[in-house]
Structure formats: C-alpha cells, structure tokens
Amino acid sequence: MNCNELQEGAHGERYIVKRPKALQWFCDGELQKDSDEERQAGRFELFLDLLYVAIVANLSDELSEHPDGAHVAKYILTFTPAWHIWVDLREIMNSYYTDDLIQRLIILWVMALLVLFANNANFVDEDIGAMRTAAGAYVAARFTTMLVFLISSFASYAHQMQARIMAGFMFVGLLITIPLFSEHVSIGGKIGVVAVMIVYQEFTWGLTLSPWLKRRLKLRYSTAVDIAHEIDRMAAFFIIILGEFVYIVIVGNPAGIGLTDGYGKAVCTLVIAFCLNWIYVSGDGSLEGTHPIRRSAWTAFGFFLLHLPMSAAFLIAGHVSAMSVKVHEFEEGQRWLLGAGLGIGLLCLWVYGMIYKAEERHNLMLPKNLRIGMRLVIGIILIIVPVTHDHFNALQFMILVMGLIAFLTIWETIGGLLKGATIFEPWTDAHPPSGFLLRGEASTQNSSP
C-alpha cells in the first residue's frame, strides 16, 4: 500500500484514546469479525521489526565470536525472551489493533526497554548488574503487555476470559524471574530459571488459546486470530532473520576491491538466503494447500511454535555465513554453527511443509512427500558436513553449502511443475496483428492463453 492509498483511505479520528475492541472472535463456534477488510501489518509494527534487526544481529554476533556450548546456551536463553516480547506485541496487534495514541506509545515504551535488554544481554554471565538490567527490562516489557491484555479484557467481552487467563499466566511467569536478580544464585541456577521460564511461557500460551480450554470452560465467546495478519507477521520475522545473511556482507566492505574470494563468499551467502526465502514462501509447494493455521488448531500451534527454533537456527547460520566473507578458515565451532544451524532450520522447514494439508491430484512432477522430503535429506547432510569436510577452507565450505541449498531449491521447483511442463512459454504475441482487427477481436486475441 503506497502513501497515496493510505491518504485516500484516511478518515477523521473522533478519539485520542480508543476503546480496545476484539477484531475477530468465535461465538458458539462460529467466526465473527469486526470488519471484512484483510489485515496487514501496521506501520508501527514494521517499525518495531527494524529494532529486531539490530537485536538479533547483536545476539548472534556474540555467539559467532565464541562458538562453544556455553555461548550456544546463552544465545538461546537471551534470544527466546526477546522473541516472547515480539510475540506478545503480535498478539495484541492481532486482537486489539487500534493504532491510537496509547497503542503507539506502548510500542515505543517496549522498544525502549528492548534497547536496554539488548545492550545488556551479552554480559549477563559476566556482571550481576547486566543480569539485573536485562532481566528488569524483560520483566517491565512483559508486565506492560500483561496489563494490555488485562485492561483490554474489561473493554471487550469477546476475548474476556482468555485475555484474563493469559494475563494471570504472564504474571506468574514474571514471578519465576525473581531469582535472576539475586547475586546469591549461581549462573547455573539462573540458566535453569530461564529455561523453566521459557518452557512455562510456551506451554501456557498454547494452553490459553487451546480448544481444550475453550471446551473445559464452556466458553461461548473465545479468541480467534486474523489469519492473514498472522501469516504476514511471521513472514516478516523470517525476513528479519534472513537479513542477517546479507547485512554483514556489505557493512564495512569486507569483500574487498575487485573479484575477490570474499566476494565469492558474499555471493554464496546471498544465494543461500535467497533460496531459503524461496523455500519458505512456497510452503509445501502444492497447488491447492491448506495453511496450517486454517487446517486445525493443533497445526496452527505447530506453525507458531516452529518459528522459534527455525528462526534461532537460521539466525546464527546466517551470521556465520556472512562472517565468512572476511575469514579464510572457519574455526571448528563456526563450521558447526553454520552446518547445524542450516540443517536444523531445514528440518523445521520440512515439518513446516508437512503440516500443510495438500489437496493434490497427482498432477505435479513429484508428490508432496518426495518433493519436500529433500529438505529432510539436505538438512541431515548439512548437520554432518562439518565433520566430513573439516579440511575445507571457508570458500570451499561456502560453495558446498550453497550448492546443497541451491540443489534443494531446484529440486522443489521442478518437482512442483505440472506434468508435461516445458521450459519456455511460446511468444505468441511478439508481433502486432496483420490487417485491421476490430477492438473486440483484438481484446479476445490478447486475452487468449
């Protein structure tokens, strides 16, 4: 949507602070919507995403410089809380999007807290002040989103019960963080606390929105999501992750002057990111597939939960891949982060494709299982490649990885073609028609396949 379209659709506002109202909900199992307009990500949601570009780059940079088990654990335990805050805001914008003064200020306030969190997260294992600051920023941000859910529950009956349950679970989750502020609790103990907090958050989020809870409480009104908006937001976060592949290959001119080895590795990194985006947007590659969110509640949960490990894996793989531009040899840990990161990410993409419901009529080159099953095969190969090809230098390793990802993309693209497909479409309208044609006849000719 361009600025002109935005201006044409603008209308005067009667209120500075609007009432939070449910945008979609279920009533006796039937979907109800406040508007039939298809939702897109709001402009301030996209502005929030810009901050996450910097946050994920900061967290992955720390791990790429210290590629060992301890820093992998720290990376997971700092990336996931940042992800949870993004999910909170996504849910709020999906359920109660008002774009009024209060909602915009909430986004700004949470972004300010995220800046504080990101500047301290990499030092949480070294300094108790950094630990308390990062934990405090996380608690303040999630307490803010908790209050939004709670207050909104009094303004809109449609999500009332589940919004209050969500707020209650979030409050208990914040109490779990208390040991993080104590200097008497060891780092090992704090790792356990964060791990419990992460599992608790994922479980309670799924429980609150689950069909089981709706049936158990016999809810007449219950939450629903705007599917187009959710898909749009998850795709936006995936693009943020892929941005990590291409950002470092440009900033600081690491490839050098001319056609250098660094430039070759930069192109390999670009091709990998391009192919991953190609695979993600194709879903399962079926002509008539049902998206996981539309298929069932359980496949919808799978779709949402799958993006956390997939994003974390591709993020660190992208950072190491881009970092290859300025190194000649990978450290052993960096090879593992690149291979295992891409491998785990592709395994997630395989599951992602499998939870689509395909309505295939055997009219494609390859059936679904064979077509996207190559994601599983290439994923496993990438996980073991750091062992089998540890003698490769950075350029050779990047060419190998790029070749595997490119082969997968070609496999799925060809496998998704209709049987009997040809390479080139005939250029039937390359020349103007000879003789005089009536306007109706010309239109008929131009519209014919």
Side-chain angles (χ1 to χ4, degrees), residues 398-410:
M398 287 300 299
I399 292 174
L400 173 62
V401 171
M402 180 204 68
L404 290 169
I405 300 292
F407 168 77
L408 171 62
T409 308
I410 295 170

Side-chain angles (χ1 to χ4, degrees), residues 2 22 33 60 75 87 116 144 219 265 271 328 355-356 436:
N2 58 41
K33 300 188 74 171
S60 59
Y75 166 72
V87 169
L116 185 62
T144 301
L219 298 179
K265 288 176 282 189
V271 171
H328 180 69
I355 59 179
Y356 273 78
F436 178 78

Side-chain angles (χ1 to χ4, degrees), residues 77 131 176-180 182 184-197:
L77 297 178
M131 171 67 78
I176 296 175
T177 66
I178 290 176
L180 300 178
S182 174
H184 302 296
V185 179
S186 67
I187 288 294
K190 290 176 180 177
I191 289 174
V193 168
V194 176
V196 169
M197 180 185 73

Side-chain angles (χ1 to χ4, degrees), residues 70-319:
H71 282 83
V72 169
K74 186 170 83 168
Y75 166 72
I76 295 172
L77 297 178
T78 51
F79 174 81
T80 308
W83 161 265
H84 285 160
I85 295 172
W86 185 87
V87 169
D88 285 347
L89 291 174
R90 185 199 74 207
E91 293 296 336
I92 290 170
M93 299 303 163
N94 189 269
S95 299
Y96 305 107
Y97 182 69
T98 58
D99 197 30
D100 65 349
L101 174 66
I102 294 297
Q103 199 165 80
R104 292 185 179 188
L105 290 179
I106 287 171
I107 293 175
L108 177 60
W109 164 245
V110 172
M111 289 179 69
L113 293 171
L114 283 168
V115 170
L116 185 62
F117 172 85
N119 275 278
N120 288 269
N122 286 337
F123 306 104
V124 293
D125 56 338
E126 303 171 7
D127 187 281
I128 184 63
M131 171 67 78
R132 288 170 175 168
T133 303
Y138 170 80
V139 169
R142 297 218 69 206
F143 185 77
T144 301
T145 56
M146 181 203 77
L147 285 178
V148 173
F149 281 113
L150 182 61
I151 293 171
S152 299
S153 73
F154 289 96
S156 180
Y157 65 86
H159 296 180
Q160 188 174 85
M161 182 58 70
Q162 286 170 286
R164 292 176 184 178
I165 293 173
M166 177 76 81
F169 278 141
M170 290 174 70
F171 182 74
V172 174
L174 295 180
L175 295 179
I176 296 175
T177 66
I178 290 176
L180 300 178
F181 296 89
S182 174
E183 58 185 341
H184 302 296
V185 179
S186 67
I187 288 294
K190 290 176 180 177
I191 289 174
V193 168
V194 176
V196 169
M197 180 185 73
I198 290 171
V199 174
Y200 171 84
Q201 164 62 19
E202 296 294 325
F203 174 76
T204 54
W205 175 82
L207 177 62
T208 303
L209 303 177
S210 69
W212 177 84
L213 185 69
K214 297 177 184 180
R215 291 193 302 267
R216 188 75 175 175
L217 298 179
K218 300 178 180 178
L219 298 179
R220 183 183 182 193
Y221 299 99
S222 59
T223 58
V225 299
D226 187 302
I227 295 176
H229 177 261
E230 293 283 30
I231 294 173
D232 188 34
R233 295 302 294 136
M234 300 307 288
F237 197 88
F238 191 76
I239 293 297
I240 292 173
I241 299 303
L242 293 184
E244 193 62 18
F245 283 83
V246 297
Y247 176 74
I248 302 178
V249 303
I250 299 296
V251 175
N253 312 306
I257 298 174
L259 299 176
T260 62
D261 285 354
Y263 172 72
K265 288 176 282 189
V267 172
C268 288
T269 300
L270 177 64
V271 171
I272 292 170
F274 188 85
C275 290
L276 291 177
N277 189 53
W278 188 319
I279 295 169
Y280 179 84
V281 299
S282 69
D284 70 339
S286 299
L287 295 179
E288 298 180 16
T290 303
H291 194 278
I293 300 181
R294 292 187 170 91
R295 182 178 180 181
S296 72
W298 301 113
T299 56
F301 286 138
F303 170 77
F304 289 120
L305 296 175
L306 195 62
H307 276 73
L308 174 55
M310 182 168 66
S311 298
F314 280 143
L315 172 61
I316 188 56
H319 194 94

Side-chain angles (χ1 to χ4, degrees), residues 321-359:
S321 178
M323 191 184 67
S324 71
V325 176
K326 51 188 177 184
V327 301
H328 180 69
E329 297 282 350
F330 280 131
E331 296 178 21
E332 180 182 2
Q334 291 170 339
R335 275 197 308 272
W336 273 107
L337 289 176
L338 176 55
L342 287 173
I344 293 171
L346 283 179
L347 295 182
C348 292
L349 277 178
W350 172 70
V351 177
Y352 166 65
M354 292 302 295
I355 59 179
Y356 273 78
K357 183 180 180 181
E359 304 291 345

Side-chain angles (χ1 to χ4, degrees), residues 376-415:
L376 181 61
V377 175
I378 299 297
I380 294 173
I381 292 174
L382 284 168
I383 291 174
I384 64 176
V385 154
V387 176
T388 59
H389 292 73
D390 58 348
H391 57 286
F392 275 20
N393 62 31
L395 177 59
Q396 293 169 328
F397 197 81
M398 287 300 299
I399 292 174
L400 173 62
V401 171
M402 180 204 68
L404 290 169
I405 300 292
F407 168 77
L408 171 62
T409 308
I410 295 170
W411 173 274
E412 289 200 21
T413 302
I414 294 177

